[in-house]
């Protein structure tokens, strides 16, 4: 969308939660910050869209049909030009009000305009992101573009399609969710719709499967002549992607490579890994190896190398190759000591199920590579799954770079604006709140250890429940949620637990989390795709209180959990607690001795001393993960260059 130099933003001290300097309003448009200009453009388009909505409402049915057809032809002929986008937004918003009973707010029109301009929109939790995405998807589909709406999981994809189906039907658009489409024919039929709702993983793996098929028509004909028929591709192309919870997909999930594999049973490999685990259990942690818990890897010392050589001396075959022997034992050490049950994985139905470290949800279909999955299964006394071999691989970073148009929305994008612009070429626009926020942020607290923090949390929950307020407690892992649940149960406090062990009851648990006096213990699952509605008694008592007992590696995740409280202008409050173990050795330079710390905390009424180590550790972790994502992207690009040189599909 070209910039409108004559558009001036409305005056105001704060937009999107970020203060503006007066110089921004006085400077010419081309001298303002990029995010400031983007917000002004979105305001202008949203204002014009409202005028088109007002003009649409009095029209008769026949006139509406004719006008909609004219608009569809104009969009397909000229594309998403600013004037056509404003007209289309106005029409879609009017039809949404009639078909859904939801009148899009000005902030939702602004968010849709930002998405249609290929920007990333930061919109606070509870501000109506689902409707904003639906409006933008409908406008893009009217322009003739196949649209992929990317959600955090299959449940949200099915839910959003069901909620927005009346809008799409009224516009003559076909929309479907990819979840539940098992066969290739069913998936191909879903991709034939104008708007497809799907999780990022489903889209990426279908793309990898399509790359394995012959790309050229002559290749398919030749394969058919040889007796090997090949079906047409599943997808129609990568035209436009609208990402819900964009930071989770483009940043957090981007740290995990996507590997398309197939079973390759290898009994000798399984026996080799079993021997590696047996040897790893004979090594001494004080002298033979060093465990790096943050990176989940281990390294052998010189003494450990010698001891391993002696232990493997009686074994033949690959054990006589030092490098192969070392890598196998290091994998076994990591699986035994760096990966923990109910924190990194679950054991359910006799199998290992991995946990997403960002959301706390089970990641179905995900397995560890390089023998790690087999080692962990053997450690738990389970039958390991068959060995696999890699067929194709990519990353979310490289996959979403392939889309012609890419945009997204989330409640926490501002901290990652530089990386989003550098990797994806998308600017971040902060959408303001439609109502002033009444959230109260209480002083942060720091404890000696996790048990002390949980005991204090029980006391705080008792006091809040006595006043009739609902409480949401955030924890790091399944194990922590169970430990806190045991503490609450010991004091007779009724509560519900939301973690990966009972994810099937997530909707029912979240539906009651805003009732007066209700206590909910959750992992990071509570921060994505859920809506906690307050009842009248809870609103009168002061709203939802969020107590974060998480050591989140990013400030974005802190804001995600805090965003569960004080939505839609409701009352609410937030507390962030931590303990001395957070950050490990990285925070030691900022930590004083405990006696000095307690004295300063008692004398200085400020939260800076409590927050400084946490913020410093989070900044270091954010930089480390950004470098990891950059390295993974470079490896993916190198992989593609090698495949292109070898003549493989790239």
């Amino acid at each position: 969308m070209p910039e409108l130099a004559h558009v001036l933003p409305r005056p105001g001290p704060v937009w999107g939660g970020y203060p503006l300097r007066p110089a921004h309003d006085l400077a010419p448009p081309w001298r303002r910050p990029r995010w400031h200009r983007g917000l002004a453009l979105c305001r202008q388009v949203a204002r014009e869209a409202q005028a088109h909505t007002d003009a649409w409402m009095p029209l008769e049915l026949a006139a509406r049909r004719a006008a909609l057809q004219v608009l569809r032809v104009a969009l397909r002929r000229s594309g998403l030009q600013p004037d056509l986008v404003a007209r289309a937004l106005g029409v879609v918003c009017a039809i949404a009000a009639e078909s859904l009973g939801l009148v899009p707010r000005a902030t939702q029109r602004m968010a849709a305009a930002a998405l249609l301009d290929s920007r990333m929109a930061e919109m606070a939790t509870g501000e109506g992101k689902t409707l904003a995405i639906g409006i933008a998807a409908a406008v893009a589909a009217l322009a003739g573009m196949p649209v992929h709406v990317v959600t955090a999981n299959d449940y949200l994809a099915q839910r959003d399609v069901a909620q927005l189906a009346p809008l799409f039907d009224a516009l003559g658009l076909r929309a479907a969710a990819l979840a539940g489409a098992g066969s290739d024919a069913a998936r191909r039929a879903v991709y034939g719709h104008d708007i497809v709702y799907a999780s990022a993983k489903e889209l990426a793996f279908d793309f990898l499967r399509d790359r394995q098929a012959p790309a050229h028509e002559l290749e398919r004909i030749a394969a058919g002549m040889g007796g090997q028929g090949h079906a047409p591709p599943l997808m129609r192309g990568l035209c436009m992607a609208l990402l819900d919870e964009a930071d989770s997909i483009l940043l957090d999930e981007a740290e995990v490579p996507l590997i398309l594999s197939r079973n390759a049973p290898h009994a000798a490999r399984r026996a080799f890994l079993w021997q590696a685990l047996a040897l790893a259990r004979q090594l001494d942690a004080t002298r033979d190896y060093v465990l790096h818990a943050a990176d989940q890897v281990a390294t052998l010392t010189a003494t450990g190398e010698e001891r391993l050589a002696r232990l493997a001396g009686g074994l033949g075959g690959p054990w006589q190759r030092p490098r192969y022997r070392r890598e196998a034992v290091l994998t076994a050490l990591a699986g035994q000591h760096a990966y923990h049950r109910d924190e990194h994985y679950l054991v359910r139905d006799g199998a290992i199920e991995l946990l997403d470290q960002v959301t706390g949800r089970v990641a179905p279909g995900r397995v560890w590579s390089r023998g790690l999955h087999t080692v962990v299964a053997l450690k738990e006394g389970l039958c390991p799954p068959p060995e696999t071999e890699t067929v194709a691989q990519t990353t979310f970073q490289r996959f979403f770079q392939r889309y012609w148009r890419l945009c997204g929305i989330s409640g926490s994008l501002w901290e990652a604006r530089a990386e989003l612009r550098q990797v994806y070429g998308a600017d971040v626009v902060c959408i303001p709140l439609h109502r002033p926020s009444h959230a109260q942020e209480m002083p942060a607290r720091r404890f000696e250890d996790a048990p002390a923090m949980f005991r204090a949390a029980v006391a705080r929950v008792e006091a809040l429940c006595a006043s009739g307020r609902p409480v949401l407690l955030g924890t790091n892992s399944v194990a922590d949620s169970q430990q806190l649940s045991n503490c609450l149960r010991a004091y007779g406090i009724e509560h519900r637990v939301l973690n990966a062990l009972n994810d099937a009851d997530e909707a029912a648990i979240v539906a009651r989390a805003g009732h007066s006096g209700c206590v909910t213990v959750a992992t990071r699952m509570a921060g994505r795709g859920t809506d906690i509605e307050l009842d009248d008694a809870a609103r009168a008592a002061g709203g939802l209180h969020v107590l974060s007992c998480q050591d989140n590696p990013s400030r974005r995740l802190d804001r995600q959990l805090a965003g569960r409280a004080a939505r839609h202008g409701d009352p609410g409050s937030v507390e962030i607690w931590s303990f001395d173990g957070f950050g490990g050795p990285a925070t030691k330079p900022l930590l004083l001795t405990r006696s000095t710390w307690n004295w300063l905390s008692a004398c200085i009424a400020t939260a800076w001393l409590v927050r400084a180590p946490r913020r410093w550790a989070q900044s270091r972790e954010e930089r480390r993960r950004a470098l990891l994502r950059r390295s993974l992207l470079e490896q993916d690009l190198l992989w593609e260059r090698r495949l292109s040189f070898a003549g493989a599909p790239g």
Side-chain angles (χ1 to χ4, degrees):
M1 182 184 298
E3 295 183 354
L4 307 176
H6 65 281
V7 177
L8 292 177
R10 294 179 179 176
V14 176
W15 280 345
Y18 299 96
L20 303 181
R21 298 178 180 177
H24 292 171
D25 291 338
L26 301 177
W30 58 87
R31 295 291 299 277
R32 298 177 192 152
R34 298 183 63 90
W35 65 269
H36 188 279
R37 284 180 279 163
L39 183 61
L41 294 172
C42 296
R43 283 184 184 275
Q44 176 66 14
V45 172
R47 193 178 299 121
E48 294 177 0
Q50 181 60 50
H52 287 292
T53 299
D54 297 337
W56 173 272
M57 298 302 292
L59 296 180
E60 298 292 337
L61 180 59
R64 288 186 177 187
R65 290 177 178 174
L68 182 60
Q69 182 62 26
V70 170
L71 176 61
R72 187 191 299 265
V73 172
L75 284 170
R76 298 194 176 195
R77 181 181 302 164
S78 302
L80 298 178
Q81 299 299 322
D83 55 338
L84 291 177
V85 167
R87 283 177 55 191
L89 277 178
V91 171
V92 173
C93 288
I95 295 177
E98 295 176 345
S99 60
L100 301 176
L102 301 173
V103 179
R105 297 184 289 266
T107 53
Q108 291 172 312
R109 296 195 299 271
M110 291 170 58
L115 295 174
L116 292 169
D117 197 21
S118 299
R119 298 177 186 267
M120 298 288 170
E122 176 174 295
M123 196 174 190
T125 305
E127 288 293 297
K129 294 190 287 291
T130 301
L131 182 58
I133 290 175
I135 293 172
V139 172
L142 288 174
M145 284 185 289
V147 180
H148 294 165
V149 179
V150 187
T151 59
N153 53 58
D154 293 338
Y155 164 75
L156 295 177
Q158 294 174 321
R159 185 202 67 180
D160 293 350
V161 167
Q163 288 181 353
L164 298 173
L167 170 62
F168 298 140
D169 292 341
L171 292 168
L173 299 173
R174 298 186 307 146
L178 190 61
S183 64
D184 287 351
R187 300 177 80 84
R188 194 175 297 108
V190 171
Y191 281 119
H193 287 68
D194 301 308
I195 303 172
V196 178
Y197 278 74
S199 64
K201 184 187 67 174
E202 295 281 354
L203 293 171
F205 280 115
D206 281 345
F207 169 74
L208 289 178
R209 293 186 187 99
D210 281 346
R211 289 178 65 184
Q212 303 309 304
H216 196 274
E217 183 65 25
L218 293 178
E219 295 182 36
R220 288 195 287 269
I221 294 175
M225 293 175 63
Q228 298 177 356
H230 285 275
L234 298 175
M235 310 177 79
R236 290 195 292 164
L238 304 180
C239 297
M240 183 175 188
L242 286 82
L243 277 62
D244 191 7
E245 305 297 353
D247 60 329
S248 175
I249 297 171
L250 297 180
L251 301 175
D252 301 323
E253 294 286 343
E255 300 171 7
V256 181
L258 303 172
I259 299 175
L260 183 65
S261 59
R262 59 189 175 196
N263 290 342
H266 201 302
R269 171 69 174 170
R270 185 179 304 180
F272 177 74
L273 292 173
W274 184 87
Q275 291 174 327
L277 183 61
L279 292 176
R281 287 171 174 167
Q282 299 181 50
L283 299 180
D284 187 83
T286 59
R287 66 173 186 270
D288 294 335
Y289 64 90
V290 178
L291 185 67
H292 306 278
D295 298 324
Q296 294 180 305
V297 296
T299 56
L300 290 175
T301 64
T303 305
E305 291 274 7
E306 297 175 359
R307 178 171 172 79
L308 178 60
R310 291 196 303 270
L311 292 173
L315 302 175
W319 289 108
Q320 301 308 311
R321 299 165 57 186
R323 180 177 178 181
Y324 200 51
R325 175 179 66 212
R326 183 188 311 111
E327 289 181 356
V329 172
L330 290 180
T331 299
L333 287 171
Q336 184 178 6
H337 301 292
Y339 291 84
H340 307 291
R341 184 172 180 173
D342 293 341
E343 182 177 352
H344 301 102
Y345 63 91
L346 297 178
V347 176
R348 188 159 55 180
D349 298 330
I352 299 292
E353 295 185 353
L354 305 193
L355 293 177
D356 189 296
Q357 294 304 297
V358 177
T359 65
R361 302 176 188 270
V362 172
R366 185 183 298 177
V367 297
W368 288 307
S369 60
R370 299 182 180 273
L372 179 60
H373 203 95
T374 299
V375 166
V376 174
L378 292 173
K379 179 184 75 171
E380 296 291 345
L382 304 175
C383 180
E387 291 292 321
T388 59
E389 60 181 6
T390 299
V391 176
Q393 71 178 45
T394 188
T395 60
F396 279 143
Q397 297 179 96
R398 189 69 188 102
F399 170 66
F400 285 109
Q401 283 179 344
R402 296 176 180 275
Y403 274 89
W404 181 46
R405 282 179 173 268
L406 178 66
C407 54
I409 193 168
S410 182
S412 51
L413 289 170
W414 184 251
E415 292 86 354
R417 60 192 181 279
E419 183 176 353
L420 291 172
R421 175 167 175 74
Q422 180 182 11
V423 177
Y424 304 101
D427 291 325
V428 175
V429 174
C430 297
I431 307 299
L433 300 173
H434 78 283
R435 292 179 183 174
S437 175
H438 295 93
Q440 297 181 353
E441 187 172 358
M442 304 180 69
R445 295 181 62 184
R446 195 174 185 87
F447 298 87
E448 296 181 0
D449 50 28
M453 181 173 63
F454 289 160
R455 289 193 297 270
V458 171
R460 177 58 54 86
V461 168
E462 282 185 320
L464 291 169
C465 289
S467 64
R469 295 188 61 183
V471 183
L472 173 64
L473 297 105
T475 58
N476 288 321
S477 62
V478 174
D480 286 347
S481 66
Q482 298 292 349
Q483 183 179 353
L484 182 54
S485 174
N486 293 335
C487 293
L488 293 170
R489 191 177 298 108
Y491 282 83
I493 299 176
E494 184 179 353
H495 63 282
R496 304 192 73 179
V497 179
L498 174 58
N499 57 31
L501 292 174
N502 53 6
D503 50 358
D505 301 328
E506 178 177 356
I509 294 174
V510 171
R512 294 188 64 255
H515 293 184
S516 176
C518 183
V519 179
T520 306
V521 180
T523 57
R524 296 188 179 105
M525 293 173 66
R528 298 287 183 182
T530 56
D531 196 2
I532 299 177
E533 298 288 346
L534 300 179
D535 59 16
D536 294 337
R539 190 176 290 107
L544 178 68
H545 181 81
V546 173
L547 178 55
S548 174
C549 300
Q550 299 174 348
D551 54 351
N552 288 320
S554 170
R555 290 167 290 178
R556 293 184 294 104
L557 299 179
D558 281 343
R559 288 209 290 142
Q560 279 287 343
L561 182 60
R564 314 315 302 166
R567 299 152 62 97
H568 305 292
D570 289 335
S573 54
V574 179
E575 278 185 290
I576 296 179
W577 290 3
S578 57
F579 57 94
D580 286 352
F582 172 62
T587 60
K588 293 302 182 184
L590 290 180
L591 294 179
L592 308 174
T593 62
R594 182 158 292 130
S595 59
T596 307
W597 180 274
N598 293 336
W599 179 79
L600 286 173
S601 298
C603 296
I604 303 176
T606 178
W608 184 86
L609 287 175
V610 179
R611 292 183 179 178
R614 181 186 184 90
R615 291 288 183 260
W616 191 71
Q618 286 178 331
S619 297
R620 293 191 73 232
E621 183 64 15
E622 288 171 356
R623 288 194 298 270
R624 187 187 71 84
R625 294 197 171 192
L627 291 175
L628 176 62
R629 289 190 291 268
R630 180 176 179 179
S631 175
L632 192 60
L633 178 60
E634 292 174 351
Q635 292 176 10
D636 196 19
L637 292 173
L638 178 61
W639 176 278
E640 287 189 1
R641 285 195 295 269
R642 289 178 176 176
L643 287 178
S644 299
F645 182 78

